[in-house]
Amino acid sequence: MQVKRSRERIAVDIPVVITTVLDSLEGSIVDLTEGGAQIFGCSLPPRSQCQIDLDGYTVFGTVQWSEDDRMGIRFPFPLTDGPLFDRLEMARTPQPAASAMQPRPAAPPPMGGFGRRIS
């Protein structure tokens, strides 16, 4: 059964620290929306309250689902500012592709060629 999501998940790779009353775990956010995140590299039991710490900024959340090495966290309020929101916006912004019309680097000056003398 596919669940219709109200927000598009954005693939990211953001190292974070997950803190509970009893523990502190390191993991990486692998997909993110304003309403939640999937964290890879650690897990907590469903319904656990936790906080995600990034660059001195804290976002609170509740674990919705959990597997051995990943979990889904729902935020009580949508992200609207802070470093996590900034990373989400950066990931959404399309990066410019390398242009085929960029000038090529200049060829090195001739060294005299193979078997020839330059006078």
Side-chain angles (χ1 to χ4, degrees):
M1 179 176 154
Q2 270 307 43
V3 174
K4 176 75 175 152
R5 298 189 180 276
S6 61
R7 295 181 176 98
E8 178 186 1
R9 294 181 187 183
I10 304 298
V12 294
D13 184 15
I14 305 170
V16 292
V17 175
I18 309 300
T19 307
T20 66
V21 174
L22 300 174
D23 209 357
S24 183
L25 308 166
E26 292 184 7
S28 285
I29 297 176
V30 294
D31 72 44
L32 181 63
T33 69
E34 286 89 351
Q38 179 181 169
I39 300 187
F40 182 80
C42 62
S43 66
L44 294 167
R47 295 186 302 277
S48 298
Q49 301 291 313
C50 62
Q51 65 185 42
I52 300 171
D53 298 309
L54 175 67
D55 298 336
Y57 186 80
T58 299
V59 176
F60 295 95
T62 303
V63 177
Q64 297 298 301
W65 58 268
S66 181
E67 294 178 359
D68 290 339
D69 61 349
R70 67 187 72 215
M71 62 185 158
I73 295 179
R74 176 179 280 169
F75 306 139
F77 304 103
L79 293 176
T80 56
D81 62 356
L84 206 51
F85 180 75
D86 294 343
R87 296 274 191 100
L88 176 60
E89 289 298 303
M90 282 191 299
R92 278 192 178 131
T93 305
Q95 302 300 317
S99 172
M101 301 303 288
Q102 289 180 346
R104 292 184 177 172
M111 301 287 285
F114 181 75
R116 298 186 185 176
R117 284 190 191 175
I118 297 182
S119 10

